């Protein structure tokens, strides 16, 4: 494995450096895609192989469309020829017809955005018959139904592409999708990602990024202020070192997390001071630049901080990670734009409640971010409980996903409380109800792991790197309990005594302390491959047994630099 730093050299924090980075990351995908679907690696996915290959071909476009220098000149003819074959129904490489809510709808947005932005590269070089094929396929994508969530933007962007190349369309279709998007608004700049109501990175890298690009293409600003409102809170999701706090689905898109900052620049919307937007964007990409996320051919891998198919949802495949190219949308802003010229601002400590997002983000004095979480699990996504329903998530410590097997080592309860009837088979929070976020920065969640067990959990955090969890439990059965602090890499020093456990590794110290004194403290080694950040980890935990009745458990959790 290798990193972008080893593969491509240092990342320069200016527009020229970002152009070079966008091209360097895109080139391996374009080169492979141009060899056709048969050369596409077979990876886990619930989509067809042709759709997976089409992701590999089209997702780099989100970054390449802003490249104005000559670095990508040799890629555009290859992209145009391959796209023409992919959308030709008589060609062996044909990606297939666009059908209701198929994965092809997603990539139609990338094609539409690219045609609207650089028609001289993808449209004008095509032969007349190829133009007919592209127009017909994109017209079908424009008219086809989509999943009832952020996907409503995909036909809108197909329409922008059709407009730019002079293909007629019925504007009523896009209008209906845009109206539906408005019905998903929760308030405070947040949109529900469909009827299930999730607020995760699909708000910044889908709803708000698309709203700003839509405004750039059309002048329609109906959702621009919502994007700006969200941006004013979104900075709290980022640590001072650039890391985004990992939470929710599609984390395999990696640095797409920061696309909103570049989209603001592309639309020239100053939602926050440009120094703030630039700072988050530059530091975030730099944070990823030295991580082992590339394979030996310099292609993005499936995973998060290292290749790991177990850390992603069922729809991610070998072409999916290039959604990360959305981070380069700021390239649409010229070199003299303040997004590029401003001196990056450094964020300070804060406690930021966001009731509509059902979360509180705490950036501590060391610059790390803890998300105190009130959202419920996602029932349809692989790993949807761990990605959505843990009580806390950390920018410096990531989180784990449980795997099949017995014991806490397989359940990997970092950031949460686990309950069991036998000490082997564990349950976490799975109720569909979301928690409540108060303006004072506390989160309250009520959950019912069994019909005769009710738990009310209250979360609070401070800028010293600690947060507190209080669980009021009423149980009609005997329960084993296991509560985790934060994981650190395996191979350090562990200690446990008197109701407190600590693990120190690679300069990080993780502790959990039982404030009631009734639980046993220990350090466990979760199953390898369960963690987003490190292949092998250790985790401080508290364990105990509760008899039927009422109980109160309180713990204090810390993660930060080891200063011992």
């Amino acid at each position: 494995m290798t990193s972008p730093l080893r593969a491509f050299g240092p990342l320069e924090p200016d527009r020229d450096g970002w152009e070079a980075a966008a091209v360097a990351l895109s080139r391996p995908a374009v080169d492979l895609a141009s060899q056709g679907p048969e050369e596409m690696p077979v990876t886990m996915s619930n989509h067809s192989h042709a759709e997976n290959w089409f992701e590999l071909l089209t997702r780099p476009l989100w970054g390449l469309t802003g490249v104005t220098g000559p670095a990508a000149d040799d890629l555009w003819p290859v992209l145009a020829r391959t796209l023409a074959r992919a959308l030709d129904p008589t060609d062996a490489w044909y990606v297939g017809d666009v059908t209701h809510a198929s994965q092809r709808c997603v990539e139609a947005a990338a094609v539409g955005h690219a045609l609207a932005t650089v028609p001289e590269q993808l449209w004008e070089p095509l032969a007349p018959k190829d133009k007919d094929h592209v127009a017909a396929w994109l017209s079908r994508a424009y008219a086809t139904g989509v999943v009832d969530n952020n996907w409503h933007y995909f036909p809108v962007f197909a329409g922008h592409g059709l407009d730019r190349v002079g293909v007629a369309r019925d504007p009523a279709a896009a209008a209906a999708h845009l109206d539906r998007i408005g019905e998903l608004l929760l308030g405070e700049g947040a949109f529900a990602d469909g009827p299930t109501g999730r607020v995760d990175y699909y708000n910044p890298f889908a709803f708000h990024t698309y709203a700003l690009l839509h405004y750039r293409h059309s002048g329609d600003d109906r959702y621009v202020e919502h994007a700006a409102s969200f941006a004013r809170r979104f900075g709290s999701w980022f640590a001072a070192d650039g890391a985004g706090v990992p939470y929710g689905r599609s984390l395999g898109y990696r640095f797409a997390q920061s696309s909103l900052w570049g989209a603001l620049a592309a639309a020239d919307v100053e939602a926050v001071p440009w120094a703030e937007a630039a700072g988050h964007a530059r530091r975030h990409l730099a944070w990823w630049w030295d991580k082992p996320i590339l394979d030996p051919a310099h292609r993005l891998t499936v995973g998060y901080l290292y290749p790991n198919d177990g850390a992603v949802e069922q729809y991610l495949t070998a072409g999916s990670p290039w959604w990360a190219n959305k981070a380069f949308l700021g390239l649409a802003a010229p070199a003299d734009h303040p997004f590029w010229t401003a001196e990056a601002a450094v964020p300070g400590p804060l406690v930021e409640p966001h009731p509509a997002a059902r979360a509180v983000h705490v950036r501590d004095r060391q610059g790390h971010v803890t998300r105190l979480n009130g959202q419920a699990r996602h029932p349809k996504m692989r790993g949807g409980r761990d990605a959505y329903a843990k009580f806390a998530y950390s920018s410096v410590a990531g989180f784990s996903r449980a795997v099949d097997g017995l014991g806490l080592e397989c359940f990997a309860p970092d950031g949460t409380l686990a309950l069991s009837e036998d000490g082997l088979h564990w349950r976490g929070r799975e109720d569909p109800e979301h928690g409540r976020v108060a303006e004072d920065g506390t989160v309250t969640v009520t959950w019912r792991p069994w019909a005769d067990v009710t738990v009310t959990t209250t979360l609070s955090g401070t800028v010293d790197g600690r947060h507190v969890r209080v669980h009021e439990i009423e149980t009609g059965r005997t329960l084993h309990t296991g509560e985790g602090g934060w994981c650190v890499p395996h191979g350090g020093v562990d200690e446990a005594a008197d109701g407190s456990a600590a693990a120190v590794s690679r300069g990080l110290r993780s502790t959990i302390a039982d404030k009631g004194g009734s639980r046993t403290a220990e350090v466990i080694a979760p199953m390898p491959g369960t963690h987003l950040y490190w292949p092998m980890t250790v985790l401080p935990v508290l364990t105990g047994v509760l008899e039927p009745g009422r109980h109160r458990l309180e713990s204090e959790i810390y993660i930060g630099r080891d200063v011992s």
Side-chain angles (χ1 to χ4, degrees), residues 148-150 191-200 202-203 207 249:
D148 186 26
N149 58 9
N150 70 87
F191 286 83
D193 191 23
T196 57
R198 299 299 177 277
V199 179
D200 50 27
Y202 276 88
N203 259 256
F207 283 101
R249 69 186 180 101

Side-chain angles (χ1 to χ4, degrees), residues 16 44 74 93 163 226 245 313 336 350 487 490 517 556:
D16 289 343
M44 173 199 75
D74 62 321
W93 290 7
D163 289 346
H226 300 299
V245 60
E313 291 74 23
D336 61 355
L350 57 71
C487 287
H490 185 275
E556 182 180 84

Side-chain angles (χ1 to χ4, degrees), residues 15 49 87 103 127 139-140 176 183 188 259 314 319 324 349 370 379 421 427 429 457 495 506 513 521 523-524 564:
R15 193 181 182 285
H49 190 71
L87 301 185
Q103 185 65 19
S139 294
R140 287 193 295 273
E183 294 170 356
E188 301 172 338
S259 67
Q314 63 269 30
T370 298
E421 293 182 281
R427 293 188 183 186
R429 174 180 166 237
T457 298
E495 56 189 54
R506 299 187 196 177
V523 177
I524 65 172
S564 59

Side-chain angles (χ1 to χ4, degrees), residues 136-154:
W137 188 90
L138 202 60
S139 294
R140 287 193 295 273
Y142 176 72
T144 302
V146 297
V147 178
D148 186 26
N149 58 9
N150 70 87
W151 282 39
H152 284 286
Y153 270 112
F154 300 152

Side-chain angles (χ1 to χ4, degrees), residues 406-407 419-427 450 478-480 545:
L406 302 180
L419 301 173
S420 170
E421 293 182 281
D422 60 6
L424 296 174
H425 302 82
W426 293 89
R427 293 188 183 186
W450 288 269
T478 301
L479 291 176
H480 297 256
V545 178

Side-chain angles (χ1 to χ4, degrees), residues 242-315:
V245 60
Y247 169 76
R249 69 186 180 101
S250 296
L251 294 176
Y253 299 156
R254 295 189 171 106
F255 38 93
Q257 291 169 342
S258 66
S259 67
L260 175 57
W261 307 119
L264 289 167
D268 196 27
V269 173
E270 190 176 8
V272 299
W274 288 117
E276 180 180 336
H280 289 309
R282 294 174 200 168
R283 285 188 299 270
H284 185 68
L285 188 59
W287 186 84
W288 282 102
W289 203 248
D290 65 351
K291 303 302 186 290
I293 58 176
L294 304 181
D295 69 13
H298 299 171
R299 301 179 194 125
L300 288 168
T301 56
V302 176
Y304 196 65
L305 239 59
Y306 63 98
N308 183 358
D309 285 359
V312 300
E313 291 74 23
Q314 63 269 30
Y315 51 82

Side-chain angles (χ1 to χ4, degrees), residues 454-527:
T454 300
V455 185
T456 298
T457 298
T458 303
L459 312 167
S460 60
T462 61
V463 296
D464 64 359
R466 291 171 171 80
H467 76 275
V468 173
R469 305 179 205 147
V470 177
H471 310 285
E472 302 284 352
I473 302 172
E474 184 174 355
T475 177
R477 64 186 68 196
T478 301
L479 291 176
H480 297 256
T481 68
E483 183 161 19
W486 300 116
C487 287
V488 295
H490 185 275
V493 177
D494 309 335
E495 56 189 54
D498 301 325
S500 178
V504 180
S505 179
R506 299 187 196 177
L508 286 178
R509 182 177 186 85
S510 171
T511 66
I512 187 168
D514 182 25
K515 307 307 288 185
S518 61
R519 289 180 284 178
T520 301
E522 58 182 306
V523 177
I524 65 172
M527 187 68 67

